[in-house]
Amino acid sequence: EIVLTQSPATLSLSPGERATLSCRASQNIFNYLGWYQQKPGQAPRLLIYDASNRATGIPARFSASGSRTDFTLTISSLEPEDFAVYYCQQRSTWPLTFGGGTKVEIK
Amino acid sequence: EVQLLESGGDLVQPGGSLRLSCAASGFTFSSTAMGWVRQAPGKGLEWVSSISGSGKDIHYTDSVKGRFTISRDNSRNTLILQMMSLRAEDTALYYCAKDRGLWNFFDSWGQGTLVTVSS
């Protein structure tokens, strides 16, 4: 099973700041990585698929990069609605796996 | 607009069974892979199972193999998860999710149905 390790666990930032989230895979997953956002009481929302492609309707302040084992999600300037938990997920190999999440909280 | 509506969650005793359903609309269900993802209270996301549009290709996470069965009724646009021999660790909010392709990421999610396994 591919293990995805997200860091940091919590990121404390102010609106307008830049957020950089990391996801590291235990083995090569090529570019088969996605990112989701989940707000309290809501279902997850797909932000990024295949490492760097924004899903439909996702604002341009969300960008992502990476390949093989190291991936990054960047939020260029945090909006109030961006404070949430972010998960990465790989689709390279069964079983599909998620990272443990990074909580982006208001400082 | 894609809509996914789960139902069937309940309080059940350890060893019991439960059947979850997900009614789908707003897309061509029969040609779309689907999945179940669960989230234990206060925890992260865990993929449970996925099924291809035809229903011929199915995958499970190891912890539910032999206990859970995923299926679909394409005539009724419904995804099903039959759960047997339930354990306390199966307690979670179960989300139905639409695959954005075949074995791709999940681009639409329901609001979830809560399964609680407790005596």
Side-chain angles (χ1 to χ4, degrees):
Chain A
E1 166 175 322
I2 294 175
V3 176
L4 298 178
T5 302
Q6 291 188 242
S7 62
T10 304
L11 200 50
S12 298
L13 294 168
S14 300
E17 289 193 296
R18 182 184 189 91
T20 303
L21 288 65
S22 173
C23 178
R24 177 163 290 178
S26 59
Q27 62 191 75
N28 181 10
I29 59 170
F30 306 95
N31 69 330
Y32 298 134
L33 187 96
W35 292 92
Y36 297 86
Q37 176 193 66
Q38 187 178 33
K39 298 177 182 179
Q42 295 186 17
R45 176 175 71 146
L46 179 66
L47 299 175
I48 301 288
Y49 64 92
D50 292 345
S52 61
N53 300 285
R54 277 190 301 275
T56 303
I58 302 304
R61 65 181 181 274
F62 291 92
S63 64
S65 63
S67 65
R68 299 180 59 84
T69 60
D70 288 292
F71 301 86
T72 300
L73 173 70
T74 301
I75 310 171
S76 60
S77 178
L78 283 164
E79 296 288 339
E81 62 267 28
D82 298 337
F83 291 92
V85 180
Y86 293 82
Y87 295 96
C88 57
Q89 180 227 319
Q90 65 82 21
R91 69 174 184 96
S92 174
T93 307
W94 302 102
L96 305 181
T97 50
F98 289 88
T102 290
K103 181 179 182 180
V104 178
E105 65 176 23
I106 299 176
K107 185 175 182 180
Chain B
E1 179 192 3
V2 172
Q3 291 194 351
L4 300 170
L5 183 60
E6 303 97 334
S7 61
D10 203 349
L11 170 63
V12 61
Q13 291 190 340
S17 300
L18 213 53
R19 177 183 166 101
L20 306 184
S21 295
C22 172
S25 61
F27 62 101
T28 307
F29 183 75
S30 60
S31 60
T32 304
M34 299 290 294
W36 291 97
V37 177
R38 66 185 179 184
Q39 187 168 34
K43 302 297 184 183
L45 302 172
E46 180 186 23
W47 170 77
V48 174
S49 181
S50 290
I51 185 169
S52 63
S54 67
K56 292 181 180 179
D57 295 308
I58 287 173
H59 299 271
Y60 298 101
T61 192
D62 282 350
S63 64
V64 308
K65 282 180 182 175
R67 300 189 301 122
F68 290 10
T69 302
I70 191 171
S71 62
R72 60 194 300 155
D73 183 342
N74 285 343
S75 68
R76 299 184 178 184
N77 287 2
T78 300
L79 178 69
I80 297 160
L81 186 67
Q82 180 69 48
M83 310 164 70
M84 301 175 63
S85 302
L86 283 161
R87 307 166 179 167
E89 54 265 35
D90 295 319
T91 294
L93 187 64
Y94 283 73
Y95 291 105
C96 163
K98 170 186 168 291
D99 197 300
R100 65 177 298 277
L102 178 61
W103 310 146
N104 211 295
F105 299 99
F106 299 115
D107 63 357
S108 293
W109 299 61
Q111 285 305 304
T113 187
L114 183 61
V115 173
T116 303
V117 184
S118 175
S119 55

